[in-house]
Amino acid sequence: MSKQLAIEGGAKAVGKMGPHPTKIHVDELLEVLDLWELPAPARKTVETAIRKSAKDIKGPHLFRYYNPRPSKVEAAEKAFGKYIGVPYCLAVNSCTSALIAAMRAVGVGMGDEVIVPAYTFFATAAAVGACNAIPVIADVDDTLTLDPKDVARRITPRTKAIAVVHMLGLPAQMAELKALADKNKIALIEDVAQAAGGSYRGKMLGSIGTIGCFSFDYYKVLNSGEGGFITTSNEWLHTRAQSWHDCAACWRPNRFASERREGELFCGENYRMSELQGAVALAQIRKAAKIVKGYRTAFGRIMNALELPRGVKLQRLSDPDGVVGTTLVMFMPDVEKTKWATKAMVAEGVPAGGIYDAKIKNWHIYTHWDHIMEQKAVAPDGLPWSGVKKSELPAYAPDMCPQTLDYLSRVVSIGISANYSAADCRAIAEGINKVLAKV
Ligand SMILES: Cc1ncc(COP(=O)(O)O)c(C=O)c1O
């Protein structure tokens, strides 16, 4: 080998290399295929065909940025933004991440208060704490979503945002909540984790407030195993959410350029969605309208066939046309009748369940949020709770939202599948009516 350095005209030490196998190849693809549990002969046929052309296969680039091929995550963002009716849409790895990034984007920080419903999955409140802010818990009403009257009572000079949750696919009372947010110049963050595809007065949920947060975890209307999306019409909030979701700044046109406007760059995290999740999310988004129609049809069929006795009421719908239809809710006259009716319906084969029982842990109800009730902190600095004077903390106590507990303890909920046939719906409604006749 020539001793002369290449920069002085000598021969290069490293000549042409490769070809190297791609980082991810056929073996990984077959592992993914296994998730579909193809029958053995079909699996064998597919594997033989794939292995035959293995040498011609370029592995996928599973990182969304710097992708030499069109990114699936980007395609999913475009498709979901169009479906929700917003110009800006950002894919992330969960709705919890979406909520934190959205709160950070609107500027939530230490000492701020964010109003959350007493009935929501704990993540809505946890996201507030993760921003070092204080979750202020407000009652839900007979819509099982935030009671605007109680929200109005809990707004203080420190309130930075209202995190409204469209629980169980039921649109919240957006006109009243938006008026409150606008009047107090605070952000309205929509947690649409459980209501993708729902709408309110003709506008898609997630396009009405300041910013919308969606979950694509396995149990949601649309899913990619894990995943989430942030939707907004505000370009600046989209930029700041991108900044929080990817501190490596791969999302920027020029990653290392100084900030284009103050507030664009800060110490964020990594919530990027991978191309694998993006591909599954994209396929789900393409089917979204069909999936939601399936839920709505089944919900309508069951609801319209019910014969409610005196004292039993359906949940109040803020917009009957906008309901997703994943769950139908009935309020019984009292707790005893609720327990009995749930048991009797289950015995009939109806997919019924209750919501609140003080003795059964359920992280959808504030009384069971020990992290908040007992003000747990991750570090000795005591944040988020130490961010305000002790006297300024909300009076966290199991009886702080009695209206919520009253409604939740009288709920019989009926789980609905998008795939129920007309006959399934008829049978379920008959089962419910049979029991209700004896309430
Ligand atoms: C209302 C609500 N918000 C937020 C989340 C968190 O979603 P993810 O699991 O995608 O973080 C959930 C999940 O159950 C939820 O139901």
Side-chain angles (χ1 to χ4, degrees):
M1 192 204 297
S2 150
K3 290 270 182 226
Q4 195 181 11
L5 293 175
I7 53 169
E8 291 168 357
K12 283 179 168 183
V14 182
K16 196 163 180 281
M17 300 215 297
H20 296 295
T22 56
K23 283 191 171 179
I24 291 175
H25 205 251
V26 164
D27 302 325
E28 289 79 3
L29 175 58
L30 292 170
E31 289 294 337
V32 172
L33 259 189
D34 284 343
L35 298 175
W36 270 255
E37 293 188 341
L38 298 181
R43 171 69 169 74
K44 188 87 207 126
T45 310
V46 175
E47 175 167 2
T48 310
I50 291 176
R51 291 224 184 264
K52 225 188 241 169
S53 48
K55 68 172 174 12
D56 304 323
I57 294 176
K58 280 201 207 124
H61 183 101
L62 294 181
F63 190 65
R64 67 163 296 181
Y65 297 109
Y66 312 128
N67 197 331
R69 297 182 211 144
S71 159
K72 292 286 184 188
V73 175
E74 201 179 319
E77 284 174 347
K78 283 207 177 103
F80 198 60
K82 189 165 170 214
Y83 179 55
I84 300 301
V86 292
Y88 304 104
C89 178
L90 175 67
V92 288
N93 55 7
S94 73
C95 185
T96 307
S97 301
L99 286 162
I100 297 172
M103 287 179 198
R104 286 313 204 183
V106 302
V108 171
M110 192 173 91
D112 290 332
E113 292 176 354
V114 177
I115 297 177
V116 301
Y119 175 48
T120 175
F121 179 60
F122 172 61
T124 321
V128 180
C131 293
N132 284 330
I134 306 293
V136 172
I137 302 170
D139 257 319
V140 300
D141 59 17
D142 55 348
T143 63
L144 290 189
T145 64
L146 271 178
D147 175 355
K149 289 195 286 306
D150 197 45
V151 172
R153 281 193 287 270
R154 295 185 197 254
I155 290 176
T156 75
R158 284 186 301 280
T159 310
K160 190 87 180 184
I162 302 168
V164 55
V165 184
H166 307 290
M167 273 305 267
L168 306 178
L170 306 165
Q173 297 159 82
M174 292 305 284
E176 294 84 346
L177 292 167
K178 193 164 168 8
L180 264 179
D182 290 348
K183 184 174 149 213
N184 290 280
K185 298 194 172 48
I186 56 180
L188 183 58
I189 297 170
E190 288 182 75
D191 179 339
V192 205
Q194 299 195 7
S199 62
Y200 176 83
R201 299 188 183 169
K203 289 191 88 182
M204 293 295 275
L205 303 179
S207 73
I208 305 162
T210 316
I211 194 160
C213 301
F214 290 82
S215 174
F216 268 53
D217 82 28
Y218 183 73
Y219 298 98
K220 300 304 187 289
V221 179
L222 306 173
N223 89 90
S224 50
E226 297 278 7
F229 287 89
I230 301 174
T231 51
T232 184
S233 297
N234 184 318
E235 186 184 7
W236 181 233
L237 293 183
H238 176 67
T239 298
R240 279 171 56 85
Q242 280 181 296
S243 194
W244 186 268
H245 109 295
D246 175 27
C247 71
C250 303
W251 57 276
R252 301 189 76 214
N254 176 0
R255 196 177 168 195
F256 300 112
S258 37
E259 55 183 355
R260 292 166 290 183
R261 179 175 154 195
E262 199 183 322
E264 181 186 5
L265 291 181
F266 38 76
C267 301
E269 304 206 11
N270 171 9
Y271 299 163
R272 293 183 301 253
M273 182 185 270
S274 106
E275 286 287 282
L276 274 177
Q277 290 169 315
V280 178
L282 180 60
Q284 284 272 290
I285 293 162
R286 286 182 179 144
K287 294 193 282 195
K290 193 168 156 232
I291 292 170
V292 172
K293 190 170 170 213
Y295 278 118
R296 277 194 180 137
T297 306
F299 180 92
R301 278 179 174 148
I302 297 172
M303 189 171 73
N304 294 333
L306 292 183
E307 291 153 14
L308 301 179
R310 268 165 78 102
V312 177
K313 283 201 172 119
L314 288 182
Q315 81 278 42
R316 181 162 59 87
L317 301 175
S318 72
D319 180 349
D321 296 333
V323 170
V324 181
T326 55
T327 315
L328 191 109
V329 173
M330 284 171 277
F331 296 112
M332 295 292 141
D334 58 52
V335 175
E336 281 319 301
K337 289 198 169 112
T338 308
K339 287 190 175 156
W340 178 82
T342 308
K343 212 164 133 192
M345 284 184 203
V346 170
E348 295 294 336
V350 172
I355 293 187
Y356 178 64
D357 182 329
K359 289 189 222 97
I360 300 171
K361 276 267 178 209
N362 180 344
W363 275 13
H364 292 81
I365 303 157
Y366 76 98
T367 47
H368 294 142
W369 299 343
D370 301 348
H371 338 47
I372 292 177
M373 291 294 133
E374 295 165 24
Q375 291 151 50
K376 306 272 188 205
V378 65
D381 60 18
L383 286 170
W385 319 105
S386 58
V388 295
K389 288 191 212 128
K390 250 200 159 75
S391 59
E392 285 170 353
L393 280 175
Y396 295 118
D399 59 356
M400 68 192 288
C401 292
Q403 175 177 289
T404 300
L405 297 185
D406 171 47
Y407 281 120
L408 294 185
S409 61
R410 293 189 291 110
V411 165
V412 175
S413 68
I414 311 296
I416 290 175
S417 158
N419 300 318
Y420 282 161
S421 65
D424 295 334
C425 296
R426 245 189 335 269
I428 290 170
E430 272 166 24
I432 298 172
N433 287 338
K434 197 170 153 192
V435 172
L436 289 184
K438 301 272 165 66
V439 166

